[in-house]
Amino acid sequence: MNVLITGGAGFIGSHIVRLFVKRYSNYTIFNLDNLTYAGNLENLKDIEHCANYRFIKGDITDECFVNHLFFEHKFEHIIHLAAESHVDKSIQNPLTFVKTNVIGTVVLLNAFKSLWKGNFESKRFYHISTDEVYGTLGPTGLFSETTAYSPNSPYSASKASSDHFVRAYGETYKIPYIITNCSNNYGPNQFPEKLIPLFIHNIIHNKPLPVYGDGNYTRDWLYVVDHATAIDTVFHNGVSGETYNVGGNNEWKNIDLVRLLCSQMDIKLFRDKGSSERLITYTKDRPGHDLRYAINTSKITKELHWKPSVNFEKGLGITIDWYLKNSSWLNNVTSGTYQSYYKHQYHK
Ligand code: NAD
Ligand code: DAU
């Protein structure tokens, strides 16, 4: 069975590629990734020589290339993660997000449709999406699979649009699809533009911790390996045409999460209690900042028997240890263009 995973050199993709390559020796796993700033083959060093793994460098928006690839390898299953994924970057440059997230998804759908020409028996197009498509919650309530889409950032609008195309191809061309919408992931290999790895990096270097607004924004956090096991479960047991929400049942206000991170970092770095917290600096808010995300996970739990397994304090500890142990990974990705991004975003 030929399985195509797009975006497999990125944060979540690399954990899924590893899990599938190790767990399913009877599948050939193709990882298609353009290696943007967020894609890094170092993330997959431990499995790159496995017999059932192949890396292909390429752009999902390149129609000719993608069509050719599908006809060459006859992918029966697609797990589609390739995307521009950072909200702040989408505010700086929305068009890049439309190109990769919307057009890239439609190019893949078209290639899948042309390859199988309606013969979709035992085939599947699995689209990985985000809870941000639902917009924002007030202080109470949860997102469920039937919550209306109401995206507020160019990133979430582009993901919502890609979800709509996947669904529309299911209705119009009968493509067997599944969509999962997941909450915030954290763990090893996440690019240090996102809250947790950015703040770990800044604490190591004694740099300010830029908390947006009053810090009272709330996110639900899921350990990335738990997301990978959810994707494995849905890939094998999910029902075509269905959507499943995935989350950690683990809501944190940003400021409380940052304080927990600071206290763990003080211990790990043998610094005086309170030294990391002194780096907290409240900064200009993100435009259109969603107040709160929280997920009702009862569908995936009841129907597919998946639930998160890693407790947040433990997961955060493993994550910090990984970044401290892999300082060369962190140094490599924060050299070069990262510096100009940082200057532009934080005026530092
Ligand atoms: P990431 O930014 O770490 O990785 C994205 C990967 O896609 C990179 O390897 C990049 O090189 C690749 N890519 C980008 N443009 C490409 C193109 N045109 N052609 C081929 N490859 C390209 O992202 P992530 O955080 O791992 O997120 C992966 C997916 O999961 C995304 O679709 C995102 O919307 C979704 N998601 C992320 C989270 C989260 O918390 N990070 C939560 C829910 C859903
Ligand atoms: O909910 C799922 C989404 O989670 C994914 O779809 C996105 O790909 C992923 O990036 C993430 O989006 P967020 O915008 O929630 O993640 P981020 O790490 O950028 O920010 C988390 C919270 O922390 C958010 O409320 C903004 C705040 N923040 C972030 C940064 C980078 C700060 O206060 N300061 C910062 O410097």
Side-chain angles (χ1 to χ4, degrees):
M1 186 158 101
N2 284 347
V3 179
L4 174 69
I5 300 181
T6 69
F11 165 49
I12 302 171
S14 59
H15 287 276
I16 294 162
V17 166
R18 176 176 300 100
L19 186 145
F20 271 67
V21 166
K22 287 193 166 171
R23 202 172 268 184
Y24 303 108
S25 56
N26 53 330
Y27 301 173
T28 304
I29 305 299
F30 292 80
N31 171 13
L32 169 61
D33 197 297
N34 204 19
L35 301 181
T36 67
Y37 75 96
N40 189 342
L41 288 179
E42 263 190 74
N43 295 346
L44 292 164
K45 271 250 160 289
D46 55 322
I47 56 111
E48 69 185 3
H49 297 300
C50 291
N52 64 334
Y53 171 67
R54 287 196 49 191
F55 173 70
I56 300 163
K57 183 176 180 330
D59 187 340
I60 58 162
T61 68
D62 182 340
E63 205 176 348
C64 195
F65 160 78
V66 169
N67 284 337
H68 183 261
L69 199 67
F70 271 63
F71 277 89
E72 189 183 352
H73 298 293
K74 312 266 183 298
F75 303 121
E76 288 128 323
H77 298 272
I78 321 295
I79 306 179
H80 173 38
L81 293 103
E84 289 292 337
S85 67
H86 188 38
V87 173
D88 293 326
K89 276 209 153 93
S90 80
I91 295 167
Q92 289 172 19
N93 191 355
L95 256 186
T96 318
F97 284 67
V98 175
K99 191 175 173 215
T100 300
N101 299 359
V102 185
I103 296 177
T105 301
V106 177
V107 166
L108 291 167
L109 286 165
N110 278 340
F112 189 75
K113 172 167 88 67
S114 311
L115 173 63
W116 297 112
K117 296 193 174 36
N119 178 16
F120 294 125
E121 178 81 29
S122 348
K123 318 278 184 314
R124 184 164 282 171
F125 192 102
Y126 180 2
H127 179 59
I128 307 299
S129 192
T130 169
D131 61 354
E132 297 199 12
V133 298
Y134 299 121
T136 189
L137 290 165
T140 58
L142 299 170
F143 294 135
S144 77
E145 287 79 1
T146 54
T147 303
Y149 276 29
S150 182
N152 290 318
S153 73
Y155 163 70
S156 53
S158 70
K159 291 296 291 186
S161 172
S162 65
D163 293 9
H164 287 320
F165 271 103
V166 173
R167 226 181 285 269
Y169 271 58
E171 287 299 317
T172 307
Y173 307 110
K174 307 301 170 210
I175 281 191
Y177 74 88
I178 295 196
I179 300 173
T180 46
N181 296 84
C182 186
S183 62
N184 287 61
N185 286 213
Y186 71 98
N189 307 95
Q190 189 170 28
F191 193 81
E193 61 191 354
K194 311 281 166 61
L195 181 75
I196 291 179
L198 172 71
F199 280 29
I200 292 174
H201 177 251
N202 284 11
I203 291 171
I204 294 171
H205 295 282
N206 273 308
K207 287 171 70 172
L209 305 178
V211 172
Y212 295 158
D214 60 6
N216 284 322
Y217 295 90
T218 301
R219 297 290 181 267
D220 168 64
W221 293 92
L222 177 69
Y223 188 60
V224 64
V225 177
D226 274 335
H227 190 188
T229 64
I231 289 171
D232 182 14
T233 303
V234 172
F235 180 81
H236 288 98
N237 304 321
V239 176
S240 277
E242 291 290 327
T243 287
Y244 300 89
N245 281 352
V246 183
N249 306 320
N250 176 43
E251 281 185 55
W252 284 80
K253 279 193 174 162
N254 291 343
I255 190 62
D256 296 336
L257 186 160
V258 169
R259 290 203 175 108
L260 173 68
L261 178 68
C262 286
S263 68
Q264 287 206 7
M265 288 296 286
D266 285 347
I267 296 166
K268 306 257 185 206
L269 291 168
F270 306 104
R271 291 183 184 166
D272 290 342
K273 198 166 177 243
S275 14
S276 301
E277 236 186 91
R278 279 194 284 279
L279 298 170
I280 292 175
T281 313
Y282 291 93
T283 52
K284 195 165 151 276
D285 212 346
R286 172 185 280 176
H289 200 165
D290 286 332
L291 177 68
R292 177 171 163 261
Y293 306 143
I295 296 267
N296 178 341
T297 55
S298 59
K299 181 174 177 184
I300 190 170
T301 306
K302 281 194 192 126
E303 293 182 13
L304 305 182
H305 313 294
W306 173 88
K307 60 177 179 7
S309 70
V310 179
N311 142 298
F312 189 56
E313 298 206 5
K314 184 173 168 223
L316 195 59
I318 299 170
T319 305
I320 296 171
D321 288 343
W322 185 87
Y323 281 95
L324 293 176
K325 204 169 148 213
N326 290 277
S327 52
S328 64
W329 183 96
L330 202 47
N331 292 339
N332 288 346
V333 301
T334 52
S335 60
T337 52
Y338 178 85
Q339 298 301 334
S340 44
Y341 159 74
Y342 197 86
K343 213 174 250 166
H344 184 273
Q345 178 63 22
Y346 297 103
H347 311 290
K348 296 278 177 233

